Amino acid sequence: MSFAVDLFSGSQCFHSCAPRARPYLSAPPFSSRSNFFWQSFSLKPTCLLRLKSRRPRVVCQAMTETEPDSNDEKEKVAYPEETSPSSVDGLVQNDGYIESVVNKDKDETGNKELSDQEATIEKNDENLVAQTTNQDEDLEVASGSPLPGMKQQLDETIKIPKTTIDILKDQVFGFDTFFVTNQESYEGGVLFKGNLRGKAAKSYEKISRRMQDKFGDQYKLFLLFNEDDKPVAVVVPKQTFQPESTAVPEWFAAGAFGLVTIFTLLLRNVPSLQLNLLSTFDNLDLLKNGIPGAFITALIIGFHEIGHLLVARDTGIKLGVPFFVPSWQIGSFGSITRILSIVPNREDLLKLSAAGPLAGFAVGLTLLLLGFILPPLDGIGIVIDPKVFHESLLAGGIAKLLLGDVLKEGTPLSINPLVLWAWTGLLINALNSIPAGELDGGRISFGIWGRKASTRIYGITIALLGVSSLFSDVAFYWTVLVFFLQRGPIAPLSDEITEPENKYIGLGIAVLLFGLLVCLPYPFPFNTEAANFDF
């Protein structure tokens, strides 16, 4: 807009010199916002003195009428116009020699003033160019991590050169993919603002292919949403993404956690040892009584992890070693599995995250139904109070459906222990399906609704877990675990803009709902016949 205002401020100057001026639209792309302002300032009427014209004095007259630089300058430049008619006539009456000398002196004086002004303008332009260059150099520095949750090995010497930024803007991005309107230094890389053209997935594919052709594997592209929900492109040197080194080998730490988890799984299925934990070391032979229950629960957890591994191999996502988390209350809280590579898009994250709970729920629900249908192997099973089924909407609903009138409030009930073992496995899957942080449920929420919405859901979930922890020790320990180990944020995806297909969204919502069915209490009473509860 400054270009139009400056040109139209003096009509004589514009009409006489505009055809020789270079407008913004015909200029080559600029490397930064500072270049834009430099071009705008260079087109002010003052600079029109620099243009070569057949009538330099006409240009000077237009200058003095529109935008004089100073009062002295105005007097000097306007002198030919302010000369009285009598003086001019006197000059004309003299011989031709005197007239030619006077005209020559005027021309030399005018040309000298014009040369001085041109030199001053050129000097000012050089200063503007130097300032612009310094601003561009500041923009090119790439240090720090621009992306939430992304682990980077940072090096202050890693920079994205100006020539590379220009190639990215002019040859990699474009009208058919992402039209760049602005750029910012974004720790660890460069953030480009602009207008996304067409579908994000296709645009990302085109831009990535062009980057590969120009730079190979030197840079990594991310299509993200900005804070104002507008799409932005971030280019980061791939060199900054390096594997983290740890003092203790990952497999060794995972193995230690696994051994402790096996112990807690066995202990959970031996009630006599739970009453006196110290007596466990004097009665290790009793742990063998917990092998069947520990095996069933571990089987469900195992299928959960296999589901993740199969989808990770199919999508090319690299996973770390699973760290199994022990629990005194339910034997285990499942496992923590890190994603080591950059996930391509939300659909792949959704498939990866939902695969584990889907596999675990499928196996656990099958075993739960078998436990209700099949009689105990020893013919006795275990005796429970039916009120335990009020702790789960899913378990209570199935029990009411399959047991019918046998299920009565206050009446002892003998069931197959497989019911409790499978129920424990389902509960572990359900806890991991809660939409919070980097849990499977949190990643599912991210895949379905995006980063901003999943962050809000996480806040609500943590608040509800905090309330639940007042009534359940399991909820308390799980809230602490999530808050300190799994709260995120989730590492950025290559393309966070493209939404998943509806069928995968349906699977993700099904996992979240099934987890709620397992965790929510069963509110309806069973048959209320009075009975003595005596074991």
Side-chain angles (χ1 to χ4, degrees):
M1 293 302 295
S2 59
F3 169 68
V5 171
D6 292 335
L7 285 184
F8 286 101
S9 62
S11 59
Q12 294 181 10
C13 190
F14 173 77
H15 288 297
S16 62
C17 302
R20 301 180 62 87
R22 183 180 66 182
Y24 168 71
L25 293 178
S26 64
F30 309 123
S31 61
S32 70
R33 290 179 293 181
S34 57
N35 279 344
F36 169 75
F37 291 116
W38 178 80
Q39 288 287 343
S40 300
F41 294 143
S42 67
L43 290 174
K44 284 189 174 182
T46 306
C47 73
L48 295 179
L49 289 170
R50 302 174 55 188
L51 300 175
K52 302 298 181 181
S53 173
R54 296 180 181 179
R55 299 180 182 178
R57 275 177 287 182
V58 174
V59 176
C60 293
Q61 292 173 7
M63 284 274 309
T64 56
E65 293 174 1
T66 57
E67 189 178 345
D69 292 339
S70 64
N71 294 331
D72 296 337
E73 182 182 350
K74 179 177 180 180
E75 293 177 359
K76 292 180 181 179
V77 178
Y79 177 78
E81 295 180 351
E82 296 174 357
T83 303
S84 64
S86 60
S87 299
V88 175
D89 293 339
L91 291 175
V92 173
Q93 291 176 359
N94 292 327
D95 56 17
Y97 175 77
I98 296 175
E99 182 179 3
S100 64
V101 171
V102 172
N103 291 337
K104 182 177 179 180
D105 292 340
K106 290 197 303 180
D107 291 341
E108 290 179 354
T109 302
N111 291 335
K112 184 178 180 181
E113 293 174 354
L114 184 63
S115 300
D116 293 340
Q117 293 182 17
E118 286 181 346
T120 303
I121 295 171
E122 289 177 358
K123 185 176 180 180
N124 293 334
D125 288 345
E126 289 177 359
N127 294 334
L128 288 172
V129 172
Q131 294 175 4
T132 301
T133 303
N134 293 334
Q135 291 176 1
D136 288 341
E137 290 177 354
D138 294 339
L139 182 65
E140 296 164 17
V141 177
S143 62
S145 174
L147 308 167
M150 179 63 71
K151 304 297 184 182
Q152 292 180 286
Q153 296 289 336
L154 303 175
D155 188 348
E156 293 292 338
T157 63
I158 298 176
K159 299 180 180 180
I160 299 182
K162 177 181 179 300
T163 55
T164 300
I165 297 176
D166 292 338
I167 293 174
L168 289 170
K169 292 174 57 179
D170 302 338
Q171 303 179 30
V172 175
F173 298 102
F175 284 98
D176 60 332
T177 55
F178 189 88
F179 178 64
V180 177
T181 59
N182 193 8
Q183 70 189 53
E184 296 179 3
S185 178
Y186 203 42
E187 299 177 88
V190 179
L191 181 146
F192 296 96
K193 295 181 179 180
N195 301 317
L196 181 64
R197 309 288 187 176
K199 294 184 177 180
K202 292 184 178 180
S203 297
Y204 180 88
E205 183 180 354
K206 290 181 181 179
I207 297 172
S208 298
R209 184 168 59 249
R210 293 170 185 171
M211 285 184 58
Q212 180 71 27
D213 294 339
K214 295 291 182 181
F215 308 108
D217 295 330
Q218 296 183 43
Y219 301 101
K220 179 62 182 173
L221 170 69
F222 296 88
L223 279 184
L224 312 172
F225 281 113
N226 205 3
E227 294 179 354
D228 54 1
D229 291 332
K230 293 183 179 180
V232 295
V234 179
V235 178
V236 181
K238 200 170 184 179
Q239 184 181 355
T240 61
F241 300 107
Q242 301 293 337
E244 292 182 286
S245 58
T246 56
V248 180
E250 192 176 51
W251 60 267
F252 180 82
F257 274 91
L259 290 176
V260 177
T261 302
I262 292 174
F263 173 76
T264 55
L265 284 172
L266 293 171
L267 185 65
R268 193 263 172 188
N269 291 279
V270 183
S272 60
L273 295 179
Q274 290 180 348
L275 298 177
N276 187 359
L277 186 60
L278 296 178
S279 65
T280 303
F281 300 98
D282 297 330
N283 300 278
L284 292 177
D285 56 328
L286 293 179
L287 288 177
K288 64 182 181 181
N289 297 331
I291 291 178
F295 174 78
I296 295 299
T297 305
L299 181 68
I300 298 173
I301 298 175
F303 271 93
H304 179 112
E305 295 303 319
I306 291 173
H308 287 314
L309 293 175
L310 292 177
V311 175
R313 185 178 63 178
D314 183 61
T315 55
I317 300 173
K318 186 178 180 181
L319 299 178
V321 179
F323 285 79
F324 292 94
V325 182
S327 170
W328 302 110
Q329 297 83 16
I330 57 176
S332 174
F333 280 132
S335 67
I336 297 175
T337 305
R338 296 189 303 152
I339 299 177
L340 302 180
S341 60
I342 299 174
V343 180
N345 49 58
R346 285 161 54 185
E347 183 173 296
D348 286 345
L349 179 66
L350 177 56
K351 291 191 292 185
L352 174 69
S353 305
L358 281 174
F361 282 141
V363 176
L365 181 60
T366 301
L367 294 175
L368 181 67
L369 294 174
L370 290 176
F372 278 112
I373 297 173
L374 298 177
L377 294 178
D378 58 0
I380 301 175
I382 58 175
V383 180
I384 63 169
D385 186 342
K387 70 179 181 180
V388 298
F389 289 118
H390 285 289
E391 297 179 4
S392 171
L393 183 59
L394 177 70
I398 294 177
K400 179 63 178 178
L401 179 64
L402 297 181
L403 299 181
D405 295 336
V406 176
L407 191 63
K408 300 177 181 179
E409 298 287 355
T411 301
L413 180 66
S414 176
I415 62 171
N416 193 324
L418 182 60
V419 171
L420 298 183
W421 301 337
W423 186 357
T424 302
L426 287 173
L427 179 59
I428 295 171
N429 270 268
L431 291 175
N432 282 272
S433 301
I434 292 175
E438 290 198 82
L439 299 176
D440 290 332
R443 292 170 177 171
I444 291 172
S445 175
F446 186 109
I448 296 175
W449 296 292
R451 182 178 296 276
K452 181 174 289 188
S454 65
T455 302
R456 294 171 180 171
I457 294 173
Y458 165 68
I460 296 173
T461 302
I462 285 295
L464 294 176
L465 282 175
V467 174
S468 300
S469 64
L470 300 176
F471 308 96
S472 171
D473 57 345
V474 174
F476 172 78
Y477 287 109
W478 185 241
T479 303
V480 173
L481 177 65
V482 172
F483 185 78
F484 286 102
L485 298 181
Q486 290 288 84
R487 61 179 175 180
I490 297 175
L493 317 183
S494 296
D495 176 12
E496 293 189 6
I497 299 177
T498 303
E499 296 183 354
E501 295 183 15
N502 290 333
K503 60 181 180 181
Y504 296 115
I505 293 177
L507 287 177
I509 293 176
V511 170
L512 297 178
L513 291 178
F514 200 89
L516 282 176
L517 291 177
V518 175
C519 294
L520 292 178
Y522 183 83
F524 310 106
F526 304 126
N527 292 338
T528 56
E529 288 187 10
N532 294 326
F533 190 82
D534 188 14
F535 291 99

